[in-house]
């Protein structure tokens, strides 16, 4: 089959930034700098209320479609504590989620980082001209946190920098070489 899209999840502390970034990326798509399979915004008006804002149907095929996002968001927020949530999902869809690196840790992280009043942009990126896209995102000047990405480490680091608004990263006092958790190897 064709290569999988990269899943990116970027969280913001307010509701509008995720929509704004999506608009910006759609512009980049019109300039052929990025090819998005889908781009969905999730907002969290209150701790118990998660809203899924369906994508702009960026590809005619809509390869992923509402079922994927609905299931993902359902797993994330309706049932974040059930460890077996993904495994219990319908077989094909569960496999699909797992392929994108969506597992219990991912779900916990999203629930923690998409704070009430905040939002997240879920992107499925088919391909992108990374340099140009990151340059443009760096001009976006809204601070986003990259929660999940299946990009290479180098590209992910650059994406984080682009979204950090040039501010110095917070000192990671609690992470020393000894106890830093190594990222799980990609299988």
């Amino acid at each position: 089959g064709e290569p999988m899209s990269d899943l990116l999840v970027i969280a913001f502390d307010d509701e509008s930034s995720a929509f704004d970034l999506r608009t910006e990326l759609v512009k980049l798509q019109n300039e052929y700098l990025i090819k998005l399979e889908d781009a969905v915004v999730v907002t969290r008006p209150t701790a118990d209320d998660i809203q899924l804002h369906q994508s702009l149907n960026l590809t005619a095929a809509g390869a992923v479609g509402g079922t994927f996002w609905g299931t993902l968001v359902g797993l994330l927020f309706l049932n974040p504590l059930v460890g077996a949530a993904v495994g219990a999902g319908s077989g094909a869809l569960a496999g699909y989620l797992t392929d994108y690196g969506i597992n219990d840790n991912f779900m916990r992280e999203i629930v923690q980082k998409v704070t009430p009043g905040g939002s997240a942009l879920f992107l499925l990126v088919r391909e992108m001209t990374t340099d140009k896209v990151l340059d443009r995102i760096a001009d976006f000047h809204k601070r986003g946190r990259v929660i999940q990405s299946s990009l290479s480490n180098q590209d992910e680091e650059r994406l984080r920098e682009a979204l950090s608004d040039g501010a110095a990263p917070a000192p990671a006092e609690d992470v020393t070489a000894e106890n830093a958790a190594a990222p799980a190897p990609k299988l």
Side-chain angles (χ1 to χ4, degrees):
E2 53 183 316
M4 273 182 32
S5 299
D6 286 313
L7 172 68
L8 298 178
V9 183
I10 301 166
F12 294 96
D13 291 332
D14 65 326
E15 287 202 6
S16 60
S17 292
F19 291 102
D20 293 344
L21 181 56
R22 179 170 73 174
T23 304
E24 183 67 24
L25 290 172
V26 170
K27 278 188 216 154
L28 297 183
Q29 172 152 288
N30 294 338
E31 296 169 35
Y32 304 104
L33 295 177
I34 192 167
K35 210 166 156 187
L36 295 169
E37 188 177 329
D38 217 339
V40 171
V41 174
V42 170
T43 55
R44 189 173 191 182
T46 65
D48 299 328
D49 186 18
I50 301 287
Q51 294 170 3
L52 174 68
H53 303 267
Q54 206 48 339
S55 70
L56 310 173
N57 204 3
L58 296 164
T59 50
V64 182
T67 324
F68 173 81
W69 296 116
T71 303
L72 174 57
V73 170
L75 288 173
L76 284 178
F77 297 113
L78 306 179
N79 217 350
L81 304 176
V82 175
V86 174
S90 69
L93 196 60
Y96 203 78
L97 294 173
T98 310
D99 285 345
Y100 281 107
I102 298 170
N103 55 28
D104 296 337
N105 287 342
F106 167 86
M107 294 198 268
R108 272 195 290 275
E109 195 174 357
I110 300 246
V111 172
Q112 285 163 2
K113 292 196 179 164
V114 181
T115 49
S119 61
L121 180 61
F122 289 69
L123 298 168
L124 284 173
V125 179
R126 244 307 144 222
E127 55 195 60
M128 67 172 158
T129 312
T130 309
D131 294 350
K132 291 184 175 162
V133 169
L134 292 178
D135 281 350
R136 294 283 285 274
I137 291 179
D139 293 341
F140 182 67
H141 293 314
K142 300 212 176 161
R143 302 189 60 152
R145 295 182 301 284
V146 180
I147 295 182
Q148 161 78 13
S149 101
S150 45
L151 298 172
S152 72
N153 289 348
Q154 191 184 355
D155 283 350
E156 177 168 336
E157 193 48 47
R158 291 167 60 202
L159 177 65
R160 285 178 196 278
E161 282 169 21
L163 284 162
S164 67
D165 203 13
E173 291 153 39
D174 56 343
V175 178
T176 59
E178 290 81 21
N179 66 11
K186 287 230 167 66
L187 298 179

